[in-house]
Amino acid sequence: MFTDKLAPSILAADYANFETELKRIDASGSEYVHIDIMDGHFVPNISFGADVVASMRPHSKLVFDCHLMVSNPEQYIESFARAGADIMTIHVEATPHIHGALQKIKAAGMKAGVVLNPGTPVASITHVLELVDQVLIMTVNPGFGGQAFIPEMLEKIEEIAKLREQKGLAFDIEVDGGIDDQTIALTKKAGANVFVAGSYVFKGDVAKRVATLREALNG
Ligand code: DX5
Ligand code: ZN
């Protein structure tokens, strides 16, 4: 039921060549392109916004998995829908109105995701789980690529997977941060099925690295 999906993060790609980088991701057989949006406020780094996503859209048929590390994400829902985002995932820590914001994402025609920072408990999203298509468990602190995987997050993945089963829900569980050919298998075992990888994929030959991740998943 929960099929594995690989989501290379364009944050680790060459920003002057998005078209080429998107083609490399397409050719690797990945399911998603993970697109990290940072506002320099919610996280101490700036990446790019909806207009850049709109420019990327004609160059890829893959699912655009947009991860918004921004304060008050509700103000960007319309612009991301127009830009061609398929999934819009927002941080529970970034808005006092998480329930309403998720409703608005769905009303705008996108899939809705909610994301937890490493220090944020699963209990903070218990009452919005019925609304979401995806729960993203951060396995590093958001803001930068290339950080080390936080092993304590495996327990959190197990906790959300158990809660999903208890509630009879069907959202995907995504992990993001420090995912490589070793950590990916640990997160799958804990219950994740969508795997974001930035530096691991782009530090080598994209197609080969994605194939290695796939092998690690299939044991
Ligand atoms: C971190 C971002 C990640 C990042 C992951 O804030 O949300 O998506 O690209 O990068 P790696 O895989 O290098 O940890
Ligand atoms: Zn991300």
Side-chain angles (χ1 to χ4, degrees), residues 46-73:
I46 296 175
S47 59
F48 32 75
D51 288 347
V52 175
V53 176
S55 324
M56 290 181 199
R57 189 64 279 187
H59 302 295
S60 174
K61 290 194 170 56
L62 298 184
V63 169
F64 275 12
D65 176 35
C66 296
H67 172 198
L68 275 83
M69 287 160 273
V70 306
S71 301
N72 300 317

Side-chain angles (χ1 to χ4, degrees), residues 9 11 34 36 38 67 69 138 142-146 176-178 196-199:
S9 171
L11 189 72
H34 185 80
D36 288 303
M38 305 180 182
H67 172 198
M69 287 160 273
M138 288 308 299
F144 302 92
D176 183 9
V196 177
S199 41

Side-chain angles (χ1 to χ4, degrees), residues 149 177-187 196-197 200-201 212-213 216:
F149 179 80
I179 298 298
D180 60 20
D181 56 341
Q182 305 298 312
T183 55
I184 196 167
L186 303 175
T187 61
V196 177
Y200 178 77
V201 165
T212 307
L213 290 177

Side-chain angles (χ1 to χ4, degrees), residues 1-4 135 137 153-162 164-165 170-175 183-195 217:
M1 176 180 185
F2 300 109
T3 50
D4 289 340
V135 171
I137 304 293
M153 294 304 109
L154 292 170
E155 197 183 310
K156 197 193 275 191
I157 299 164
E158 287 169 5
E159 191 182 338
I160 191 73
K162 201 179 286 172
R164 176 177 66 185
E165 198 182 336
F171 54 81
D172 287 317
I173 299 176
E174 181 175 50
V175 285
T183 55
I184 196 167
L186 303 175
T187 61
K188 177 174 175 168
K189 190 160 174 277
N193 71 300
V194 183
F195 309 91
L217 282 177

Side-chain angles (χ1 to χ4, degrees), residues 29-216:
S30 298
E31 286 82 4
Y32 290 179
V33 179
H34 185 80
I35 305 177
D36 288 303
I37 311 298
M38 305 180 182
D39 66 352
H41 183 263
F42 181 71
V43 289
N45 197 7
I46 296 175
S47 59
F48 32 75
D51 288 347
V52 175
V53 176
S55 324
M56 290 181 199
R57 189 64 279 187
H59 302 295
S60 174
K61 290 194 170 56
L62 298 184
V63 169
F64 275 12
D65 176 35
C66 296
H67 172 198
L68 275 83
M69 287 160 273
V70 306
S71 301
N72 300 317
E74 45 273 71
Q75 34 180 325
Y76 305 105
I77 293 170
E78 289 308 322
S79 55
F80 274 82
R82 273 199 309 272
D86 297 292
I87 307 172
M88 181 166 173
T89 298
I90 60 174
H91 276 261
V92 66
E93 308 88 356
T95 170
H97 305 294
I98 190 69
H99 189 280
L102 292 165
Q103 282 181 321
K104 283 181 194 149
I105 291 172
K106 295 183 80 86
M110 295 177 285
K111 289 193 170 174
V114 66
V115 43
L116 298 179
N117 278 337
T120 307
V122 166
S124 64
I125 56 167
T126 308
H127 303 289
V128 299
L129 290 177
E130 278 79 2
L131 279 175
V132 303
D133 300 288
Q134 168 168 291
V135 171
L136 169 52
I137 304 293
M138 288 308 299
T139 41
V140 298
N141 285 292
F144 302 92
Q147 303 180 79
F149 179 80
I150 303 171
E152 289 78 11
M153 294 304 109
L154 292 170
E155 197 183 310
K156 197 193 275 191
I157 299 164
E158 287 169 5
E159 191 182 338
I160 191 73
K162 201 179 286 172
L163 192 57
R164 176 177 66 185
E165 198 182 336
Q166 279 166 8
K167 286 178 169 275
L169 296 171
F171 54 81
D172 287 317
I173 299 176
E174 181 175 50
V175 285
D176 183 9
I179 298 298
D180 60 20
D181 56 341
Q182 305 298 312
T183 55
I184 196 167
L186 303 175
T187 61
K188 177 174 175 168
K189 190 160 174 277
N193 71 300
V194 183
F195 309 91
V196 177
S199 41
Y200 178 77
V201 165
F202 284 94
K203 258 200 238 151
D205 177 278
V206 170
K208 277 191 194 144
R209 292 270 166 129
V210 168
T212 307
L213 290 177
R214 192 82 70 187
E215 277 164 31

